[in-house]
Amino acid sequence: MTHITVLSGGVGGARFLRGVRAWARQTHPDGAGGSTAHITAIVNTGDDMWLTGLRITPDLDSIMYTLAGANDEERGWGRVGETERVSGELKAYGVGWPWFTLGDLDIGTHLARTHFLRSGMSLSAATERILQRWDIGVRLLPMTDDEVETHVVSDIDGTEMHFQEWWTRHRASIPAREFRQLDVERSTPAPGVLDAIAAADVVLVAPSNPVVSIGTILGIPGIRAALAATSAPVVGVSPIINGSVVRGMADACLQTIGVATAADSVAVHYGSRAAGGLLDAWLIDEADAAVASHVEAAGIATTVVPLWMRDVPTAKQLAADAMDAATRVRSL
Ligand code: GDP
Ligand code: CA
């Protein structure tokens, strides 16, 4: 299992990837503190946006900062030791979104990214260039180089807003009728994405938001077909523990698409690969052991293990459990 491909959103995905990397370093050491295993993350870019002239890519940056150890562990997002002087200035000018504060260090990243994009680079090339600074040991691929932003249609008056406005400004409190991926039909997977799926020894679906993180990745034309065709087992980790989201407001997203906030419901929503869906295997928490039979009945091999990623060791154990589940799928 030396080529590991992970579908990932931001914070939940980042915590999981930190565990996968720790597992790889332990089981496939390269003798220099790294790993001979190749980890590729295919990352949601539906949350991306242009703001005050800058291209912001929240999920790519959450992963990058977390894996670099530069994240604010306490707050749960952004850079550690962050200040907000530039955002204060922008607010004084009435520029940008007053409810969306960008940290000063973070703005440095956005300036660099925007510079690379303006000089003609694709997002994937700009991401690779930015990662030269941070030795994270994981290849990060945006799901697409095209701008496919997620919009939310309000169920109250049918108005449409950027996902970020719904999520950050309204804290997902406006009932959503629908999530829309703007221009998705014209988009293509970023270079390397389809290859990373086809050449993988195992594909892991991180415990990320099933709708606006994993769902947006699956919405890019070609990605679902690649996942259906790969010879690698596809193993997912439930982002739902004991009927609730561990962090964040993913329940509001699930409600919109008519899926219950439950470990078995999300698995059934993803579907069994044998029946045209996504998953060969699914990991659920011990608190959800009672619903394992529902997942099995949907044709998905189910493993019951602790799913709380409290720290790197617990995330590493979760990665090990996912790899074990992949091995069992292979030997079937
Ligand atoms: P976002 O893009 O920052 O919203 O992050 P993701 O989409 O990657 O992940 C968000 C999801 O991660 C949330 O809906 C949580 O349910 C899930 N999550 C966060 N922490 C944990 C954890 O420790 N264990 C599990 N199983 N899921 C988690
Ligand atoms: Ca996100």
Side-chain angles (χ1 to χ4, degrees):
M1 303 258 194
T2 51
H3 283 90
I4 305 166
T5 297
V6 184
L7 309 187
S8 177
V11 172
R15 295 178 81 90
F16 183 64
L17 280 162
R18 202 160 50 170
V20 173
R21 183 180 65 179
W23 175 87
R25 284 175 174 169
Q26 187 179 37
T27 56
H28 300 69
D30 68 356
S35 172
T36 56
H38 302 275
I39 307 170
T40 301
I42 298 171
V43 182
N44 168 45
T45 55
D47 305 3
D48 295 10
M49 67 203 151
W50 286 101
L51 189 66
T52 58
L54 302 176
R55 189 66 180 165
I56 322 270
T57 66
D59 289 2
L60 282 167
D61 290 348
S62 291
I63 297 172
M64 180 169 81
Y65 295 151
T66 301
L67 291 178
N71 61 311
D72 189 327
E73 198 76 28
E74 227 155 86
R75 188 172 54 165
W77 55 275
R79 293 278 297 273
V80 69
E82 189 59 287
T83 49
E84 293 169 355
R85 298 186 67 195
V86 175
S87 265
E89 287 297 292
L90 291 171
K91 268 173 207 153
Y93 287 116
V95 169
W97 288 337
W99 41 268
F100 198 83
T101 303
L102 295 170
D104 296 335
L105 300 175
D106 197 30
I107 286 172
T109 305
H110 306 321
L111 283 167
R113 174 183 306 109
T114 305
H115 166 76
F116 294 134
L117 292 173
R118 289 272 182 247
S119 70
M121 282 188 192
S122 62
L123 177 61
S124 46
T127 302
E128 192 179 341
R129 179 65 185 72
I130 283 171
L131 281 167
Q132 283 177 9
R133 175 183 168 197
W134 309 93
D135 187 18
I136 65 170
V138 173
R139 186 164 67 126
L140 300 188
L141 298 178
M143 63 186 190
T144 177
D145 280 336
D146 302 314
E147 293 180 7
V148 181
E149 299 180 3
T150 303
H151 277 211
V152 184
V153 182
S154 160
D155 201 28
I156 296 172
D157 55 9
T159 54
E160 191 172 319
M161 67 196 91
H162 191 286
F163 170 74
Q164 210 62 249
E165 181 170 0
W166 182 72
W167 188 257
T168 306
R169 182 184 189 182
H170 300 292
R171 312 295 304 163
S173 64
I174 296 176
R177 184 177 301 170
E178 186 195 341
F179 297 100
R180 276 193 193 146
Q181 292 183 271
L182 263 58
D183 295 327
V184 69
E185 63 287 344
R186 278 186 270 148
S187 72
T188 54
V193 166
L194 297 182
D195 283 346
I197 295 170
D201 294 305
V202 57
V203 175
L204 302 176
V205 182
S208 289
N209 189 312
V211 187
V212 295
S213 291
I214 303 300
T216 55
I217 297 172
L218 298 176
I220 302 300
I223 292 191
R224 256 185 200 282
L227 289 161
T230 183
S231 59
V234 179
V235 178
V237 178
S238 174
I240 309 299
I241 299 178
N242 202 12
S244 60
V245 292
V246 182
R247 301 178 172 89
M249 306 163 286
D251 42 345
C253 304
L254 285 166
Q255 197 182 349
T256 298
I257 63 161
V259 174
T261 303
D264 54 335
S265 306
V266 173
V268 170
H269 166 67
Y270 282 149
S272 151
R273 207 149 71 105
L278 175 68
L279 299 171
D280 293 306
W282 185 239
L283 272 58
I284 63 173
D285 191 78
E286 290 156 323
D288 295 308
V291 301
S293 58
H294 302 169
V295 184
E296 291 278 353
I300 301 163
T302 310
T303 304
V304 181
V305 287
L307 294 194
W308 261 95
M309 298 180 286
R310 289 173 216 285
D311 46 25
V312 178
T314 49
K316 183 172 84 173
Q317 183 57 48
L318 181 55
D321 291 333
M323 299 306 289
D324 285 347
T327 307
R328 283 196 295 277
V329 168
R330 271 218 164 148
S331 61
L332 285 181

